[in-house]
Amino acid sequence: MIESKEVFEAFQEHRGNAIVSVQGTSGKHWADVTTNQNRDISLGGAMGQSTAAIFGLALGLPNEKVVHFDTEGALLMNLGVLASIAGKKPANFVHFLLDNGCYATTGGQPVPNSEDIDYSVIAAGSGYAATYNFDDLEELSTSLDEIMNQDGPVFVAIKVPAEVENLPIGMRERRVSRNRGQTISDLRSELGIS
Amino acid sequence: MVEQQLQILRPETLVAEFKSIGVTHIITIPDSETNYLYELMEKEDWLDVVPVSREGESMAVALGLNVAGKVPVVLIQNTGMMESGDSIRGMALDAGFPLLMVVGYRGWTRKGHTPDSAAVYTEPFLNAFHLNYYLVETDDDGARITDAYNEAVKTKRPVVVLIGDEYHGFNR
């Protein structure tokens, strides 16, 4: 397994000018790593649908590299989105999956068939241009240049440890972050979209 | 007594309205009532058709396209719209952007009652989500599509056009 923060630190070296979206409990570490918040976007807001929203963003911005860090719990809620993405073949889309095998935000209950499911096989079968599986940081690090510089859609499944949150939501540490509307506004300003 | 519907709604009318509005993307799951419309849209080089796997995806894809400065329209059936409640809430209403949703009104009969529960629950569903809607049955109603879009732009909300022509040749 690879710590989520290590995944983001390795990715940051290869980010370039990419627009980046993160999801889930693992995604919180991106805020400590990113160096270009104006190109970080948050389009969550409905169960399992942020991937579809980032897919739409990639379709609308074909000249921008768009990177989405998904989670397996969210993807399982709308697995058909893999076929939707593969069908439109967005060459600028890189789809990471941080797989911790459980719903960490609700106490760590396992997702269905968490031990045996292979998401990269599902993505490959759906028609993604390239797929990867990693549970070793060095292997991931040496592959990121290739991942970020090939035509997509590319799917990258990474095993990460669960960071389970058991406290009631009201008692959890609150991180200062921009809301969805602010990230949209900042990205549009960055790209000159009115 | 309700009069018999004499005119039909041609798919070409919808495509012309979409072009007039400036639509760039149609996000859709085809259904049996809109197959010919799908074929027409695929032929238009100003329009990108985005097929999705489940209707709930369509509002999310539309949000992403809107952020990118595009003009998306969702084209689905009432059954799929009802499946999409959480996406309509979280991706369209809460996001606060103009979204035209064209929804096939399966089961619509104009006779005041229908045996199809898809039709029975369509308008109560729209009312529950506080979604305004326009009924389009014939070519003469086509301008309502632009009216609905203009309302969506003005209110920054989703506005629905119900296509009530299931039994009158919309699929040629």
Side-chain angles (χ1 to χ4, degrees):
Chain A
M1 288 195 185
I2 312 173
E3 294 288 338
S4 301
K5 189 167 186 180
E6 292 177 334
V7 171
F8 289 130
E9 288 170 344
F11 166 75
Q12 171 63 28
E13 298 294 315
H14 299 267
R15 176 188 186 170
N17 217 23
I19 296 165
V20 177
S21 155
V22 298
Q23 278 288 296
T25 52
S26 303
K28 65 188 177 188
H29 297 297
W30 176 242
D32 300 327
V33 175
T34 180
T35 58
N36 191 352
Q37 275 205 336
N38 287 343
R39 282 180 172 260
D40 294 341
I41 183 78
S42 173
L43 294 183
M47 293 189 298
Q49 295 298 354
S50 67
T51 304
I54 300 299
F55 163 48
L57 184 70
L59 285 180
L61 298 171
N63 297 319
E64 300 283 348
K65 180 74 81 178
V66 177
V67 178
H68 180 50
F69 284 88
D70 207 348
T71 65
E72 87 288 353
L75 183 61
L76 283 171
M77 287 188 177
N78 187 27
L79 207 50
V81 75
L82 293 175
S84 306
I85 292 166
K88 291 299 286 184
K89 299 178 171 54
N92 59 332
F93 186 59
V94 183
H95 187 174
F96 286 89
L97 182 79
L98 300 183
D99 174 13
N100 64 13
C102 71
Y103 301 108
T105 194
T106 61
Q109 305 88 341
V111 301
N113 204 26
S114 61
E115 295 295 320
D116 295 322
I117 192 167
D118 188 332
Y119 299 99
S120 69
V121 169
I122 298 171
S126 299
Y128 271 59
T131 62
Y132 298 83
N133 249 324
F134 295 104
D135 60 7
D136 178 82
L137 179 60
E138 187 174 346
E139 288 179 15
L140 171 67
S141 298
T142 56
S143 301
L144 277 166
D145 185 62
E146 176 183 289
I147 288 167
M148 291 296 291
N149 288 289
Q150 64 182 305
D151 282 350
V154 179
F155 186 88
V156 185
I158 303 171
K159 290 285 187 185
V160 299
E163 298 175 52
V164 175
E165 298 183 4
N166 267 326
L167 287 171
I169 288 177
M171 297 174 66
R172 293 179 191 173
E173 177 190 358
R174 297 182 71 88
R175 287 174 164 248
V176 177
S177 63
R178 298 172 302 153
N179 63 27
R180 178 171 65 181
Q182 190 61 53
T183 68
I184 292 172
S185 177
D186 290 348
L187 179 65
R188 282 179 163 162
S189 296
E190 172 83 4
L191 300 176
I193 298 170
S194 57
Chain B
M1 182 176 177
V2 178
E3 292 183 4
Q4 179 69 38
Q5 182 180 339
L6 298 176
Q7 292 183 293
I8 65 169
L9 174 63
R10 294 177 307 129
E12 289 85 351
T13 300
L14 271 81
V15 174
E17 290 287 327
F18 293 157
K19 188 169 188 178
S20 169
I21 290 167
V23 175
T24 59
H25 294 76
I26 297 285
I27 308 138
T28 186
I29 294 186
D31 64 70
S32 56
E33 277 71 54
T34 57
N35 183 45
Y36 182 49
L37 173 62
Y38 188 92
E39 293 174 9
L40 275 182
M41 294 189 302
E42 286 273 33
K43 293 176 183 171
E44 301 293 346
D45 58 8
W46 50 270
L47 191 60
D48 192 359
V49 177
V50 184
V52 290
S53 304
R54 200 69 172 110
E55 286 83 354
E57 288 175 41
S58 63
M59 300 84 196
V61 173
L63 171 60
L65 285 163
N66 171 268
V67 172
K70 306 302 181 185
V71 182
V73 164
V74 165
L75 175 65
I76 57 177
Q77 198 179 52
N78 50 355
T79 48
M81 177 185 72
M82 287 185 266
E83 187 272 341
S84 306
D86 191 48
S87 282
I88 292 171
R89 175 201 61 78
M91 291 302 193
L93 285 165
D94 285 359
F97 73 102
L99 177 60
L100 179 62
M101 292 172 49
V102 179
V103 177
Y105 203 161
R106 196 190 92 178
W108 168 248
T109 64
R110 304 188 88 237
K111 295 173 183 173
H113 82 283
T114 173
D116 190 338
S117 62
V120 168
Y121 295 114
T122 292
E123 292 181 58
F125 177 95
L126 292 169
N127 289 325
F129 279 78
H130 297 184
L131 292 171
N132 202 11
Y133 56 94
Y134 295 72
L135 179 63
V136 170
E137 296 178 289
T138 73
D139 282 344
D140 287 347
D141 301 330
R144 293 180 190 170
I145 295 169
T146 296
D147 292 342
Y149 176 72
N150 289 339
E151 181 177 321
V153 170
K154 183 178 178 182
T155 60
K156 295 185 177 179
R157 288 172 54 88
V159 176
V160 172
V161 167
L162 292 172
I163 302 296
D165 193 42
E166 183 174 7
Y167 304 119
H168 297 90
F170 188 63
N171 194 28
R172 193 164 60 165

